[in-house]
């Protein structure tokens, strides 16, 4: 049997490897951190953003989103022209549960939060309070944005800390589709009023 | 310099590379075995629950209680697990459907939510209501930025269970721990009796 003396770190004659199972199928792509930001945009091919057919599903996470205007919404829209215009046609549903610190409760469809064949920005996290400790969080899945056959589905879940006579917790669920067969290559986020004062939005790809 | 002796051309023990890892990182799994509580305490027994990750996700697999018709619940701690009782306001609602199709619905669960309460919060109600061996609950709980000293800490969960021999429940819970002190421990328990079996897995989601 031959003895092999290693004089560097190269391995050139290996014919088999053990399994490496720790890489995972959720890949971090990009983080945008708000600081009095009017908009936060993820544009495929810009600043390291991937938003094409590399992944079949994309996930956005929203952490500690805090607006500059009281009880404003975090909203989003899609673009099919690399961010020149954010105006995809959308049809969506939204329902939510609310419980105030004073004990009032609500569960139901939110007609003020949905869209029907509209190019407007869609509310994602509604009614975020402006107190220093108030914010909203959540996730949004976007499926096959680069499909040239199908519309583009999205599903979102969030929770926000809203401001009122009795502050409240608001658990929101919205879903819908961008009614286009053009590839969506950019997503923009902004508040319904004022700036995104703080918080961050991360983009992940799901293999 | 040491000599390395190879007896074939394979490398079979590689467990890590310089390649970028996935964004979802497993941190810790706790397995119930007639457990009174299951706790994840930062810095203890390999648990990470600080600013290392901005989002933590707990996965619950087949949580089975020792006592029928009990609540699977959780609370958090700001003092390393010395006490669990952070003020919490949340919503709870559920969808249900009977196996025989005789009933279904979507209801807010006013008796299962909390408003500025330090009690353990209801993640899944009426687990194994009829005490059958195959009844359990499964789901997830997301905890956002537990170490923030600026914002409250949001929690979002969803559980599914067979509530009795004839009902399927899909329970949603979300709220905020109303504190700007860092949360560094999370505890799970049944409202009565032990957690007879099941696994709780803790993951961190990277943002870089």
């Amino acid at each position: 049997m031959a003895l092999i003396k290693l004089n560097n770190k190269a391995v050139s004659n290996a014919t088999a490897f053990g399994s490496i199972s720790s890489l995972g199928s959720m890949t971090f792509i990009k983080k945008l951190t708000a600081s009095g930001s009017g908009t936060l945009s993820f544009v495929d091919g810009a600043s390291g953003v991937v938003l094409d057919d590399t992944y079949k599903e994309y996930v956005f996470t929203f952490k500690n989103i805090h607006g500059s205007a009281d009880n404003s919404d975090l909203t989003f829209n899609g673009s099919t022209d690399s961010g020149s215009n954010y105006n995809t046609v959308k049809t969506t549903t939204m329902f939510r549960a609310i419980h105030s610190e004073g004990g009032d409760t609500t569960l139901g469809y939110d007609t003020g939060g949905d869209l029907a064949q509209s190019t407007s920005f869609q509310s994602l996290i509604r009614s975020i309070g402006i107190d220093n400790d108030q914010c909203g969080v959540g996730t949004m899945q976007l499926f096959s944005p680069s499909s040239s056959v199908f519309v583009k589905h999205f599903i979102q879940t969030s929770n926000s800390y809203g401001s009122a006579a009795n502050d409240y917790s608001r658990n929101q669920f919205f879903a819908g589709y961008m009614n286009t067969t053009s590839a969506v290559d950019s997503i923009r986020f902004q508040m319904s009023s004022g700036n995104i004062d703080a918080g961050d939005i991360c983009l992940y790809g799901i293999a | 310099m040491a000599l390395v002796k190879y007896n074939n051309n394979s490398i079979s023990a590689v467990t890590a590379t310089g390649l970028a890892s996935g964004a979802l990182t497993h941190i810790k799994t706790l397995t119930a075995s007639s457990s009174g509580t299951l706790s994840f305490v930062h810095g203890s027994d390999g648990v990470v629950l600080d600013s290392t990750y901005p989002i933590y996700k707990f996965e619950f697999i087949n949580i089975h209680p020792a006592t029928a018709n009990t609540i699977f619940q959780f609370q958090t701690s700001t003092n390393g697990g010395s006490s669990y009782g952070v003020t919490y306001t949340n919503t709870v609602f559920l969808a249900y459907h009977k196996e025989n199709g005789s009933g279904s619905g979507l209801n807010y669960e006013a008796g299962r939510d909390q408003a500025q309460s330090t009690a353990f919060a209801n993640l899944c109600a009426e687990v194994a209501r009829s005490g059958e061996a195959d009844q359990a609950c499964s789901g997830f709980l997301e905890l956002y930025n537990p170490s923030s000293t600026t914002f409250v800490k949001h929690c979002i969960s969803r559980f599914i269970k067979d509530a009795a021999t004839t009902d399927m429940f899909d329970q949603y819970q979300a709220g905020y721990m109303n504190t700007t002190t860092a949360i560094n421990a999370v505890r799970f328990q049944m409202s009565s009796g032990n957690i007879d079996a099941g696994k709780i897995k803790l993951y961190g989601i990277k943002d870089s």
Side-chain angles (χ1 to χ4, degrees), chain A:
Chain A
M1 179 181 292
L3 289 179
I4 300 171
K5 178 180 175 182
L6 299 182
N7 57 8
N8 61 33
K9 295 181 179 177
V11 179
S12 60
N13 294 318
T15 57
F17 283 84
S19 62
I20 301 170
S21 59
S22 62
L23 298 185
S25 57
M26 182 179 183
T27 302
F28 171 79
I29 297 173
K30 184 72 177 179
K31 176 180 180 179
L32 297 179
T33 301
S35 179
S37 306
T39 63
L40 293 176
S41 303
F42 294 82
V43 180
D44 178 53
S47 302
V49 171
V50 176
L51 195 64
D52 58 11
D53 62 357
T54 302
Y55 301 97
K56 293 298 185 186
E57 177 186 345
Y58 290 84
V59 174
F60 295 91
T61 62
F62 311 98
K63 301 191 292 292
N64 293 347
I65 301 297
H66 182 84
S68 62
D70 199 16
N71 286 327
S72 58
D73 305 348
L74 180 70
T75 69
F76 97 103
N77 214 327
S79 169
T80 59
D81 54 13
S82 298
S84 295
N85 299 281
Y86 288 92
N87 56 2
T88 56
V89 174
K90 293 173 292 299
T91 296
T92 63
T93 58
M94 177 174 277
F95 65 95
R96 78 286 188 247
I98 298 172
H99 189 200
S100 78
E101 293 180 0
D104 300 322
T105 61
T106 300
L107 172 65
Y109 191 88
D110 184 359
T111 54
D114 62 4
L115 297 176
Q117 294 297 91
S118 170
T119 59
S120 298
F121 276 67
Q122 167 68 48
S123 290
L124 289 173
I125 307 175
R126 300 204 73 189
S127 303
I128 303 170
I130 199 175
D131 292 351
N132 287 338
D133 64 348
Q134 292 183 320
C135 63
V137 304
T139 60
M140 181 175 80
Q141 298 163 269
L142 172 62
F143 299 92
S144 299
S146 64
S147 172
S148 58
V149 177
F150 297 109
V151 300
K152 318 302 183 296
H153 290 276
F154 42 83
I155 298 173
Q156 192 254 11
T157 302
S158 67
N159 201 67
S160 58
Y161 182 11
S163 178
N166 284 311
D167 291 346
Y168 56 89
S169 182
R170 180 187 183 107
N171 187 199
Q172 303 149 117
F173 301 81
F174 104 88
Y177 53 86
M178 290 182 257
N179 199 354
T180 177
T181 54
S182 298
V184 171
D185 55 13
S186 310
I187 299 290
R188 168 166 286 178
F189 301 94
Q190 63 186 37
M191 302 305 294
S192 56
S193 176
N195 292 329
I196 310 174
D197 200 34
D200 67 68
I201 302 175
C202 289
L203 173 62
Y204 301 84
I206 308 296

